[in-house]
Amino acid sequence: MLAALGGGGLLRSVAWGQAPIAGTAPRFVEAATTLGRIRGADIGGIKTFKGIPYGASTAGRNRFLPPRDRSAWSGVRDALEFGPSAPQREPGVQAATGPLAVAAAGLPRESEDCLVLNVWTPGLSGGRRPVMVWCHGGAFSSGSGSAPGTDGTNLAKRGDVVVVSVNHRLNVLGFTYLGDLAGAAGDTALALSGGAGMLDIVHALQWVRANIAAFGGDPGNVTVFGQSGGGRKVATLLAMPSAKGLFHRAIIESGATIKLVEREQGARVARELAATLGMSAPSLDDLQAVPLDRLMSAYFATVRRMNVDQMTMGFSPVVDGTTIPSHPFHPTASTVSADVPLIIGSTRTELTAQTDAAVFSLDEAGMRARVESLVGAASGEIIEIYRQANPGATPADLYFLIASDHRYTAPVMKIAERRAALGEGSVHLYYFRWESPYEGGRLKSPHTVEIPFVFANVASSRLTAEAPDAPALADKVSGAWVAFARTGDPNTPKLPRWPAFEAVHRPTMVFDNVSRVVNDPIREQRIAMFAALGLD
């Protein structure tokens, strides 16, 4: 059912759809940027600017290279429509349809001229508001900062903050490491190609620093936040010297990025891509001349042939020694931005949003076979630990809990531990247990479920629209995120006191209709999964 959606997929399908704001027709407003004046719209008191260019087109001679500044324009440029999304669809393949399909999201057209961002602000003057820069999900391969479900209107209004979302290069265009590819090697700029999409985000943060005061924001108080692949982007930013000082707080939602792609693996994937294109030793000029549709087709063919996991095996950020000197949290947390306060967390049943329908009716034998494929010989012991901790759980329930902890929750908890060990910026850990009534409640607490709560968009998300208790929890969750963006401390009067994480007691905010702080909330499962993943 949902397997094709990948990381961040459910966000694109069921969490999108911002309810229109009641009121009169929009009033045009203008703002000055370093590249020229732009025209946006004031709708219900929130000034919205869409599709603002922050870099030049990445097509042609700019393909695979670090982002470059765009030329200034004269007059006033309209910023009333979303700009292009990064190329991400397979040419010639019919997009899926139906209520859970990516095609249902209605994203803007795709183009290599995709370095654009969007701004929502309560006012162009009258204060230096906290700035919250959203990194979209999609496993480094898909998605867009223009998704309706992450419309920043409600968050900007309820928190008196400036919300920014960013489009940048993805997949083959953003994360192909060409530094060691024969023919293309030797170019200093190409040595950075395995992190080009991340350098785009850094370029956007530089735009924020130079321009956000004109939108009522404080360039000295910027929070980067993201979910799934977006959370992984935030984790990667924490390890990038070029990003240091451009943001001051960070939030990682279900972004379990302990390690990135090793340079040798990135080079191997690039060679396979070249072979797919029929090129033995392509030069940069050769690769820049490949038509986009042909390049995208070769990318999809390479992923299928190599069975590439685009989180850790290719077409995602590469530890190249320069752009990204080391893994974000392996073997210890990167010290590049050690003083930046961090919120990090996961949801209880992440994997219910990333599987096929058959998994929901697993029998005991089917469950055991799937768990063994995840954790090997330890599967029997782990199943028993999870069964004792979750009495009454069905085989499917047990599989989802084990698989979710294996892929997300255990790595997230290890990240909190390693980050806190630096002893500088505070760490606050959360565990999201609220269960959605969508599809009869069978998804429970799926991947992406916290997004409508963070953005205060619960009325328009399928996961939350039919839940009468969702608005109250959204008030608390979005309030905590805003408090953190404002001060670096997520505590608010509407939630129990949320202590900073430390490895002895492991205090964790468990979000639910009645939220509470629990020390080490899944202790036995966590210990077993740390051992299975070699995270001791």
Side-chain angles (χ1 to χ4, degrees):
M1 178 183 72
L2 297 170
L5 294 176
L10 190 62
L11 165 61
R12 296 195 299 274
S13 57
V14 303
W16 287 7
Q18 174 66 22
I21 298 175
T24 59
R27 178 175 61 87
F28 294 127
V29 291
E30 292 185 10
T33 76
T34 53
L35 296 177
R37 295 190 67 80
I38 56 174
R39 179 184 295 113
D42 184 328
I43 307 175
I46 298 300
K47 287 72 178 169
T48 303
F49 299 83
K50 300 177 179 178
I52 306 171
Y54 68 86
S57 171
T58 61
R61 302 295 297 179
N62 289 343
R63 182 185 286 174
F64 299 121
L65 297 180
R68 296 175 177 173
D69 290 333
R70 195 179 193 98
S71 299
W73 56 83
S74 59
V76 181
R77 180 188 181 104
D78 279 344
L80 303 170
E81 304 286 342
F82 287 123
S85 299
Q88 56 194 266
R89 298 188 189 276
E90 184 170 9
V93 174
Q94 179 66 40
T97 59
L100 295 179
V102 173
L107 283 180
R109 66 183 179 86
E110 296 175 9
S111 169
E112 288 188 83
D113 189 7
C114 63
L115 302 191
V116 295
L117 53 78
N118 313 301
V119 177
W120 292 265
T121 180
L124 302 179
S125 60
R128 294 167 68 85
R129 298 174 177 86
V131 182
M132 301 182 70
V133 179
W134 173 252
C135 297
H136 69 76
F140 295 109
S141 61
S142 60
S144 173
S146 307
T150 54
D151 181 290
T153 301
N154 290 340
L155 182 58
K157 180 175 287 188
R158 75 151 328 273
D160 193 32
V161 296
V162 179
V163 180
V164 179
S165 65
V166 181
N167 285 3
H168 56 86
R169 282 174 286 182
L170 300 167
N171 50 66
V172 66
L173 296 165
F175 303 105
T176 301
Y177 176 64
L178 302 172
D180 296 336
L181 186 66
D187 188 314
T188 303
L190 273 186
L192 310 180
S193 58
M198 292 305 307
L199 289 174
D200 292 345
I201 299 175
V202 172
H203 207 67
L205 290 171
Q206 291 169 339
W207 183 96
V208 168
R209 181 176 61 185
N211 291 280
I212 208 65
F215 297 84
D218 182 357
N221 188 4
V222 175
T223 297
V224 289
F225 69 129
Q227 187 272 342
S228 190
R232 292 174 182 268
K233 293 163 194 172
V234 173
T236 305
L237 287 169
L238 286 166
M240 294 178 67
S242 60
K244 183 176 176 62
L246 294 174
F247 62 95
H248 313 91
R249 336 230 187 263
I251 303 174
I252 300 173
E253 303 170 25
S254 301
T257 310
I258 290 179
K259 296 179 70 175
L260 298 171
V261 178
E262 296 281 4
R263 174 172 166 169
E264 294 76 12
Q265 173 66 10
R268 174 173 172 258
V269 170
R271 290 194 296 270
E272 289 290 331
L273 174 70
T276 307
L277 288 166
M279 299 176 171
S280 59
S283 67
L284 175 60
D285 288 345
D286 294 334
L287 292 168
Q288 289 176 333
V290 175
L292 178 61
D293 279 2
R294 183 182 170 210
L295 182 64
M296 293 300 293
S297 294
Y299 151 69
F300 278 98
T302 302
V303 168
R304 282 192 290 268
R305 185 174 68 253
M306 297 184 71
N307 193 27
V308 169
D309 177 344
Q310 293 178 74
M311 295 293 194
T312 58
M313 293 176 61
F315 301 117
S316 58
V318 174
V319 179
D320 58 16
T322 304
T323 303
I324 307 169
S326 65
H327 295 289
F329 298 102
H330 175 81
T332 59
S334 168
T335 60
V336 170
S337 292
D339 59 336
V340 171
L342 173 67
I343 288 178
I344 186 167
S346 61
T347 74
R348 183 169 181 258
T349 60
E350 300 266 6
L351 267 292
T352 55
Q354 299 176 306
T355 190
D356 57 272
V359 182
F360 288 89
S361 55
L362 279 177
D363 60 14
E364 184 74 11
M367 178 269 291
R368 288 184 173 275
R370 285 181 180 255
V371 173
E372 185 176 2
S373 71
L374 287 178
V375 300
S379 61
E381 179 184 357
I382 286 177
I383 289 169
E384 184 58 26
I385 289 170
Y386 274 77
R387 182 162 273 142
Q388 289 183 13
N390 299 276
T394 66
D397 291 337
L398 290 174
Y399 170 73
F400 284 129
L401 290 168
I402 292 168
S404 298
D405 289 353
H406 180 269
R407 183 166 181 179
Y408 291 98
T409 299
V412 159
M413 289 179 169
K414 180 55 69 171
I415 288 171
E417 180 183 308
R418 288 179 176 172
R419 179 74 179 187
L422 296 180
E424 296 190 48
S426 63
V427 178
H428 286 83
L429 178 66
Y430 73 85
Y431 185 58
F432 209 93
R433 284 192 60 121
W434 184 88
E435 295 189 357
S436 169
Y438 183 68
E439 288 197 346
R442 72 172 184 165
L443 299 181
K444 300 185 185 297
S445 309
H447 197 58
T448 79
V449 71
E450 82 283 6
I451 292 177
F453 293 95
V454 168
F455 279 87
N457 288 342
V458 293
S460 53
S461 166
R462 295 183 189 184
L463 289 175
T464 52
E466 301 303 318
D469 49 10
L473 183 56
D475 184 47
K476 297 171 185 175
V477 173
S478 62
W481 263 232
V482 166
F484 180 76
R486 181 161 279 113
T487 67
D489 183 344
N491 279 287
T492 75
K494 296 180 180 179
L495 285 168
R497 181 180 173 274
W498 187 356
F501 179 89
E502 40 76 21
V504 175
H505 299 98
R506 312 181 77 89
T508 305
M509 177 64 75
V510 179
F511 283 114
D512 207 335
N513 287 326
V514 178
S515 298
R516 57 200 177 101
V517 172
V518 180
N519 289 340
D520 210 357
I522 56 167
R523 181 178 183 276
E524 291 77 14
Q525 298 100 300
R526 173 189 62 78
I527 292 171
M529 200 56 69
F530 276 11
L533 290 167
L535 294 176
D536 293 333

Short mmCIF file of all heavy atoms in Angstrom, two decimals, residues 207-262:
data_model
loop_
_atom_site.label_atom_id
_atom_site.label_comp_id
_atom_site.label_asym_id
_atom_site.label_seq_id
_atom_site.Cartn_x
_atom_site.Cartn_y
_atom_site.Cartn_z
N TRP A 207 21.21 33.15 2.42
CA TRP A 207 20.17 34.09 1.98
C TRP A 207 19.36 34.57 3.19
O TRP A 207 19.07 35.76 3.31
CB TRP A 207 19.26 33.43 0.95
CG TRP A 207 18.21 34.34 0.39
CD1 TRP A 207 18.26 35.05 -0.78
CD2 TRP A 207 16.94 34.67 0.98
NE1 TRP A 207 17.12 35.79 -0.95
CE2 TRP A 207 16.29 35.58 0.11
CE3 TRP A 207 16.29 34.30 2.15
CZ2 TRP A 207 15.03 36.11 0.38
CZ3 TRP A 207 15.03 34.82 2.43
CH2 TRP A 207 14.41 35.72 1.55
N VAL A 208 19.01 33.64 4.06
CA VAL A 208 18.25 34.00 5.27
C VAL A 208 19.05 35.01 6.10
O VAL A 208 18.50 36.03 6.55
CB VAL A 208 17.91 32.74 6.09
CG1 VAL A 208 17.40 33.11 7.48
CG2 VAL A 208 16.87 31.89 5.35
N ARG A 209 20.31 34.75 6.31
CA ARG A 209 21.13 35.67 7.10
C ARG A 209 21.14 37.07 6.48
O ARG A 209 21.08 38.08 7.20
CB ARG A 209 22.55 35.13 7.23
CG ARG A 209 23.46 36.02 8.07
CD ARG A 209 24.84 35.41 8.26
NE ARG A 209 25.52 35.21 6.98
CZ ARG A 209 26.70 34.60 6.85
NH1 ARG A 209 27.30 34.11 7.93
NH2 ARG A 209 27.25 34.46 5.67
N ALA A 210 21.22 37.14 5.16
CA ALA A 210 21.33 38.44 4.48
C ALA A 210 20.00 39.15 4.32
O ALA A 210 19.98 40.38 4.18
CB ALA A 210 21.98 38.24 3.12
N ASN A 211 18.87 38.40 4.33
CA ASN A 211 17.61 39.00 3.91
C ASN A 211 16.47 38.93 4.91
O ASN A 211 15.50 39.69 4.79
CB ASN A 211 17.12 38.32 2.62
CG ASN A 211 17.99 38.64 1.43
OD1 ASN A 211 17.87 39.70 0.82
ND2 ASN A 211 18.87 37.71 1.07
N ILE A 212 16.54 38.05 5.90
CA ILE A 212 15.34 37.77 6.68
C ILE A 212 14.91 38.94 7.55
O ILE A 212 13.72 39.05 7.93
CB ILE A 212 15.53 36.49 7.52
CG1 ILE A 212 14.17 35.82 7.78
CG2 ILE A 212 16.28 36.79 8.82
CD1 ILE A 212 13.50 35.31 6.53
N ALA A 213 15.80 39.88 7.86
CA ALA A 213 15.39 41.06 8.64
C ALA A 213 14.35 41.87 7.88
O ALA A 213 13.48 42.50 8.51
CB ALA A 213 16.61 41.92 8.97
N ALA A 214 14.40 41.84 6.54
CA ALA A 214 13.41 42.56 5.74
C ALA A 214 12.04 41.91 5.80
O ALA A 214 11.05 42.49 5.34
CB ALA A 214 13.88 42.65 4.28
N PHE A 215 11.97 40.70 6.38
CA PHE A 215 10.71 39.98 6.54
C PHE A 215 10.31 39.89 8.02
O PHE A 215 9.48 39.07 8.40
CB PHE A 215 10.82 38.58 5.94
CG PHE A 215 11.08 38.57 4.46
CD1 PHE A 215 12.37 38.71 3.97
CD2 PHE A 215 10.04 38.45 3.56
CE1 PHE A 215 12.62 38.72 2.61
CE2 PHE A 215 10.28 38.46 2.20
CZ PHE A 215 11.57 38.60 1.71
N GLY A 216 10.91 40.74 8.85
CA GLY A 216 10.58 40.76 10.27
C GLY A 216 11.27 39.70 11.09
O GLY A 216 10.91 39.47 12.25
N GLY A 217 12.28 39.01 10.51
CA GLY A 217 12.96 37.94 11.21
C GLY A 217 14.30 38.35 11.77
O GLY A 217 14.90 39.34 11.34
N ASP A 218 14.79 37.56 12.72
CA ASP A 218 16.07 37.82 13.37
C ASP A 218 17.12 36.88 12.79
O ASP A 218 17.09 35.67 13.05
CB ASP A 218 15.93 37.59 14.88
CG ASP A 218 17.22 37.88 15.64
OD1 ASP A 218 18.23 38.21 15.00
OD2 ASP A 218 17.20 37.76 16.88
N PRO A 219 18.08 37.38 12.00
CA PRO A 219 19.11 36.50 11.43
C PRO A 219 20.02 35.90 12.49
O PRO A 219 20.77 34.96 12.20
CB PRO A 219 19.89 37.44 10.50
CG PRO A 219 19.65 38.81 11.03
CD PRO A 219 18.26 38.79 11.61
N GLY A 220 19.96 36.42 13.71
CA GLY A 220 20.75 35.87 14.80
C GLY A 220 20.02 34.83 15.62
O GLY A 220 20.54 34.36 16.63
N ASN A 221 18.80 34.45 15.18
CA ASN A 221 18.02 33.44 15.90
C ASN A 221 17.28 32.57 14.88
O ASN A 221 16.10 32.76 14.61
CB ASN A 221 17.03 34.09 16.86
CG ASN A 221 16.35 33.07 17.76
OD1 ASN A 221 16.66 31.88 17.72
ND2 ASN A 221 15.39 33.53 18.56
N VAL A 222 18.02 31.63 14.29
CA VAL A 222 17.50 30.77 13.22
C VAL A 222 17.49 29.33 13.71
O VAL A 222 18.51 28.82 14.19
CB VAL A 222 18.36 30.90 11.95
CG1 VAL A 222 17.89 29.92 10.88
CG2 VAL A 222 18.33 32.33 11.42
N THR A 223 16.34 28.67 13.57
CA THR A 223 16.20 27.26 13.89
C THR A 223 16.01 26.48 12.59
O THR A 223 15.16 26.83 11.77
CB THR A 223 14.98 27.01 14.79
OG1 THR A 223 15.18 27.68 16.04
CG2 THR A 223 14.77 25.53 15.05
N VAL A 224 16.79 25.42 12.39
CA VAL A 224 16.56 24.51 11.28
C VAL A 224 15.80 23.30 11.83
O VAL A 224 16.16 22.76 12.87
CB VAL A 224 17.86 24.08 10.57
CG1 VAL A 224 18.45 25.24 9.79
CG2 VAL A 224 18.89 23.55 11.55
N PHE A 225 14.75 22.90 11.13
CA PHE A 225 13.97 21.75 11.57
C PHE A 225 13.50 20.96 10.37
O PHE A 225 13.33 21.51 9.28
CB PHE A 225 12.84 22.14 12.51
CG PHE A 225 11.68 22.91 11.91
CD1 PHE A 225 10.36 22.49 12.13
CD2 PHE A 225 11.87 24.09 11.18
CE1 PHE A 225 9.28 23.20 11.62
CE2 PHE A 225 10.80 24.81 10.68
CZ PHE A 225 9.49 24.35 10.90
N GLY A 226 13.34 19.67 10.54
CA GLY A 226 12.91 18.83 9.44
C GLY A 226 12.54 17.44 9.93
O GLY A 226 12.90 17.04 11.04
N GLN A 227 11.80 16.72 9.08
CA GLN A 227 11.29 15.40 9.44
C GLN A 227 11.77 14.38 8.41
O GLN A 227 11.86 14.66 7.21
CB GLN A 227 9.76 15.43 9.50
CG GLN A 227 9.11 14.17 10.02
CD GLN A 227 8.84 13.13 8.95
OE1 GLN A 227 8.82 13.43 7.76
NE2 GLN A 227 8.61 11.88 9.37
N SER A 228 12.08 13.16 8.85
CA SER A 228 12.53 12.07 7.99
C SER A 228 13.78 12.50 7.23
O SER A 228 14.79 12.86 7.84
CB SER A 228 11.40 11.65 7.05
OG SER A 228 11.72 10.46 6.37
N GLY A 229 13.73 12.51 5.88
CA GLY A 229 14.87 13.00 5.12
C GLY A 229 15.22 14.42 5.50
O GLY A 229 16.40 14.81 5.47
N GLY A 230 14.22 15.22 5.88
CA GLY A 230 14.50 16.58 6.33
C GLY A 230 15.24 16.59 7.65
O GLY A 230 16.12 17.42 7.89
N GLY A 231 14.89 15.66 8.55
CA GLY A 231 15.64 15.53 9.80
C GLY A 231 17.07 15.09 9.54
O GLY A 231 18.01 15.52 10.22
N ARG A 232 17.25 14.24 8.55
CA ARG A 232 18.60 13.82 8.16
C ARG A 232 19.40 15.00 7.61
O ARG A 232 20.62 15.07 7.80
CB ARG A 232 18.51 12.68 7.14
CG ARG A 232 17.96 11.39 7.73
CD ARG A 232 17.75 10.31 6.67
NE ARG A 232 17.18 9.11 7.26
CZ ARG A 232 17.88 8.07 7.73
NH1 ARG A 232 19.20 8.11 7.68
NH2 ARG A 232 17.28 7.02 8.24
N LYS A 233 18.72 15.89 6.91
CA LYS A 233 19.41 17.10 6.42
C LYS A 233 19.85 17.97 7.60
O LYS A 233 20.97 18.52 7.59
CB LYS A 233 18.49 17.87 5.48
CG LYS A 233 18.19 17.13 4.18
CD LYS A 233 16.97 17.71 3.47
CE LYS A 233 16.49 16.75 2.38
NZ LYS A 233 15.21 17.16 1.78
N VAL A 234 19.00 18.10 8.60
CA VAL A 234 19.38 18.87 9.79
C VAL A 234 20.58 18.22 10.47
O VAL A 234 21.54 18.90 10.87
CB VAL A 234 18.19 18.99 10.76
CG1 VAL A 234 18.63 19.65 12.07
CG2 VAL A 234 17.06 19.80 10.12
N ALA A 235 20.56 16.89 10.62
CA ALA A 235 21.69 16.19 11.22
C ALA A 235 22.97 16.43 10.43
O ALA A 235 24.04 16.63 11.00
CB ALA A 235 21.40 14.69 11.29
N THR A 236 22.86 16.43 9.10
CA THR A 236 24.02 16.65 8.25
C THR A 236 24.54 18.08 8.40
O THR A 236 25.76 18.31 8.45
CB THR A 236 23.67 16.34 6.79
OG1 THR A 236 23.15 15.00 6.71
CG2 THR A 236 24.90 16.44 5.89
N LEU A 237 23.63 19.04 8.49
CA LEU A 237 24.05 20.44 8.69
C LEU A 237 24.88 20.59 9.96
O LEU A 237 25.81 21.38 10.01
CB LEU A 237 22.82 21.35 8.76
CG LEU A 237 22.08 21.63 7.45
CD1 LEU A 237 20.76 22.33 7.73
CD2 LEU A 237 22.93 22.46 6.49
N LEU A 238 24.55 19.81 10.98
CA LEU A 238 25.28 19.88 12.24
C LEU A 238 26.74 19.44 12.09
O LEU A 238 27.57 19.74 12.94
CB LEU A 238 24.59 19.02 13.30
CG LEU A 238 23.30 19.59 13.89
CD1 LEU A 238 22.55 18.51 14.66
CD2 LEU A 238 23.58 20.78 14.79
N ALA A 239 27.04 18.73 11.00
CA ALA A 239 28.41 18.25 10.77
C ALA A 239 29.12 19.01 9.65
O ALA A 239 30.22 18.61 9.26
CB ALA A 239 28.37 16.76 10.42
N MET A 240 28.54 20.11 9.15
CA MET A 240 29.10 20.84 8.02
C MET A 240 29.74 22.15 8.47
O MET A 240 29.03 23.05 8.94
CB MET A 240 28.02 21.12 6.98
CG MET A 240 27.48 19.87 6.31
SD MET A 240 26.16 20.25 5.12
CE MET A 240 27.09 21.15 3.85
N PRO A 241 31.04 22.31 8.30
CA PRO A 241 31.68 23.59 8.68
C PRO A 241 31.09 24.79 7.97
O PRO A 241 31.00 25.88 8.57
CB PRO A 241 33.15 23.36 8.28
CG PRO A 241 33.33 21.88 8.35
CD PRO A 241 32.03 21.30 7.89
N SER A 242 30.67 24.64 6.72
CA SER A 242 30.12 25.79 5.98
C SER A 242 28.79 26.26 6.54
O SER A 242 28.36 27.39 6.28
CB SER A 242 29.96 25.44 4.50
OG SER A 242 29.08 24.35 4.33
N ALA A 243 28.09 25.41 7.32
CA ALA A 243 26.80 25.78 7.91
C ALA A 243 26.94 26.38 9.30
O ALA A 243 25.99 26.98 9.81
CB ALA A 243 25.88 24.56 7.97
N LYS A 244 28.12 26.24 9.90
CA LYS A 244 28.31 26.70 11.28
C LYS A 244 28.04 28.21 11.39
O LYS A 244 28.52 29.00 10.59
CB LYS A 244 29.74 26.41 11.74
CG LYS A 244 30.02 26.80 13.18
CD LYS A 244 31.42 26.40 13.60
CE LYS A 244 31.77 26.87 15.00
NZ LYS A 244 30.89 26.29 16.03
N GLY A 245 27.24 28.57 12.37
CA GLY A 245 26.91 29.97 12.61
C GLY A 245 25.72 30.48 11.83
O GLY A 245 25.21 31.57 12.12
N LEU A 246 25.24 29.70 10.85
CA LEU A 246 24.08 30.12 10.06
C LEU A 246 22.77 29.72 10.72
O LEU A 246 21.71 30.18 10.31
CB LEU A 246 24.15 29.52 8.65
CG LEU A 246 25.31 30.01 7.77
CD1 LEU A 246 25.33 29.23 6.45
CD2 LEU A 246 25.18 31.51 7.50
N PHE A 247 22.83 28.85 11.74
CA PHE A 247 21.63 28.49 12.50
C PHE A 247 22.03 28.33 13.95
O PHE A 247 23.20 28.08 14.28
CB PHE A 247 20.97 27.23 11.94
CG PHE A 247 21.82 25.99 12.01
CD1 PHE A 247 21.71 25.10 13.06
CD2 PHE A 247 22.74 25.71 11.01
CE1 PHE A 247 22.49 23.96 13.14
CE2 PHE A 247 23.53 24.56 11.05
CZ PHE A 247 23.40 23.69 12.12
N HIS A 248 21.06 28.45 14.83
CA HIS A 248 21.35 28.55 16.27
C HIS A 248 20.60 27.53 17.12
O HIS A 248 20.86 27.40 18.31
CB HIS A 248 21.03 29.97 16.73
CG HIS A 248 21.61 31.00 15.80
ND1 HIS A 248 20.89 31.50 14.73
CD2 HIS A 248 22.83 31.57 15.74
CE1 HIS A 248 21.65 32.36 14.07
NE2 HIS A 248 22.83 32.42 14.66
N ARG A 249 19.65 26.83 16.54
CA ARG A 249 18.95 25.73 17.16
C ARG A 249 18.64 24.71 16.07
O ARG A 249 18.59 25.05 14.89
CB ARG A 249 17.64 26.14 17.81
CG ARG A 249 17.62 27.63 18.21
CD ARG A 249 17.20 27.84 19.62
NE ARG A 249 17.01 29.23 19.95
CZ ARG A 249 17.94 29.98 20.54
NH1 ARG A 249 19.14 29.50 20.79
NH2 ARG A 249 17.68 31.23 20.88
N ALA A 250 18.37 23.45 16.46
CA ALA A 250 18.11 22.40 15.48
C ALA A 250 17.08 21.43 16.03
O ALA A 250 17.08 21.12 17.23
CB ALA A 250 19.40 21.66 15.14
N ILE A 251 16.19 20.96 15.15
CA ILE A 251 15.17 19.97 15.52
C ILE A 251 15.20 18.86 14.49
O ILE A 251 15.03 19.11 13.29
CB ILE A 251 13.76 20.60 15.59
CG1 ILE A 251 13.74 21.78 16.57
CG2 ILE A 251 12.73 19.55 15.98
CD1 ILE A 251 12.41 22.54 16.58
N ILE A 252 15.40 17.64 14.95
CA ILE A 252 15.44 16.46 14.09
C ILE A 252 14.24 15.58 14.42
O ILE A 252 14.17 15.01 15.51
CB ILE A 252 16.74 15.66 14.29
CG1 ILE A 252 17.96 16.53 13.94
CG2 ILE A 252 16.73 14.39 13.45
CD1 ILE A 252 19.29 15.86 14.28
N GLU A 253 13.30 15.48 13.51
CA GLU A 253 12.10 14.65 13.69
C GLU A 253 12.26 13.38 12.84
O GLU A 253 12.28 13.45 11.62
CB GLU A 253 10.86 15.42 13.25
CG GLU A 253 10.65 16.74 13.99
CD GLU A 253 9.55 17.59 13.36
OE1 GLU A 253 8.65 17.01 12.71
OE2 GLU A 253 9.60 18.83 13.51
N SER A 254 12.38 12.25 13.50
CA SER A 254 12.49 10.96 12.82
C SER A 254 13.58 10.98 11.75
O SER A 254 13.40 10.44 10.66
CB SER A 254 11.15 10.55 12.20
OG SER A 254 10.15 10.47 13.18
N GLY A 255 14.70 11.57 12.07
CA GLY A 255 15.83 11.63 11.14
C GLY A 255 17.02 10.90 11.73
O GLY A 255 17.93 11.52 12.28
N ALA A 256 17.03 9.58 11.63
CA ALA A 256 18.00 8.74 12.33
C ALA A 256 19.31 8.66 11.54
O ALA A 256 19.66 7.64 10.97
CB ALA A 256 17.42 7.35 12.55
N THR A 257 20.06 9.75 11.53
CA THR A 257 21.26 9.83 10.70
C THR A 257 22.51 9.74 11.55
O THR A 257 23.13 10.75 11.89
CB THR A 257 21.27 11.16 9.91
OG1 THR A 257 20.01 11.30 9.27
CG2 THR A 257 22.35 11.15 8.86
N ILE A 258 22.89 8.53 11.89
CA ILE A 258 24.15 8.33 12.59
C ILE A 258 25.31 8.41 11.59
O ILE A 258 26.31 9.07 11.82
CB ILE A 258 24.15 6.99 13.34
CG1 ILE A 258 23.18 7.09 14.54
CG2 ILE A 258 25.55 6.62 13.82
CD1 ILE A 258 23.06 5.83 15.35
N LYS A 259 25.14 7.73 10.44
CA LYS A 259 26.17 7.72 9.41
C LYS A 259 25.60 8.17 8.07
O LYS A 259 24.40 8.03 7.81
CB LYS A 259 26.76 6.31 9.25
CG LYS A 259 27.48 5.79 10.48
CD LYS A 259 28.02 4.39 10.24
CE LYS A 259 29.18 4.40 9.25
NZ LYS A 259 29.79 3.06 9.10
N LEU A 260 26.48 8.69 7.22
CA LEU A 260 26.14 9.06 5.85
C LEU A 260 26.86 8.09 4.91
O LEU A 260 27.34 7.04 5.32
CB LEU A 260 26.54 10.51 5.58
CG LEU A 260 25.82 11.56 6.44
CD1 LEU A 260 26.46 12.93 6.25
CD2 LEU A 260 24.33 11.60 6.12
N VAL A 261 26.92 8.43 3.64
CA VAL A 261 27.56 7.57 2.65
C VAL A 261 29.08 7.76 2.71
O VAL A 261 29.57 8.89 2.69
CB VAL A 261 27.04 7.90 1.24
CG1 VAL A 261 27.74 7.03 0.18
CG2 VAL A 261 25.53 7.71 1.17
N GLU A 262 29.82 6.66 2.76
CA GLU A 262 31.27 6.72 2.71
C GLU A 262 31.72 7.12 1.31
O GLU A 262 31.07 6.80 0.31
CB GLU A 262 31.88 5.37 3.07
CG GLU A 262 31.60 4.91 4.49
CD GLU A 262 32.49 5.60 5.52
OE1 GLU A 262 33.28 6.49 5.12
OE2 GLU A 262 32.39 5.24 6.71
#
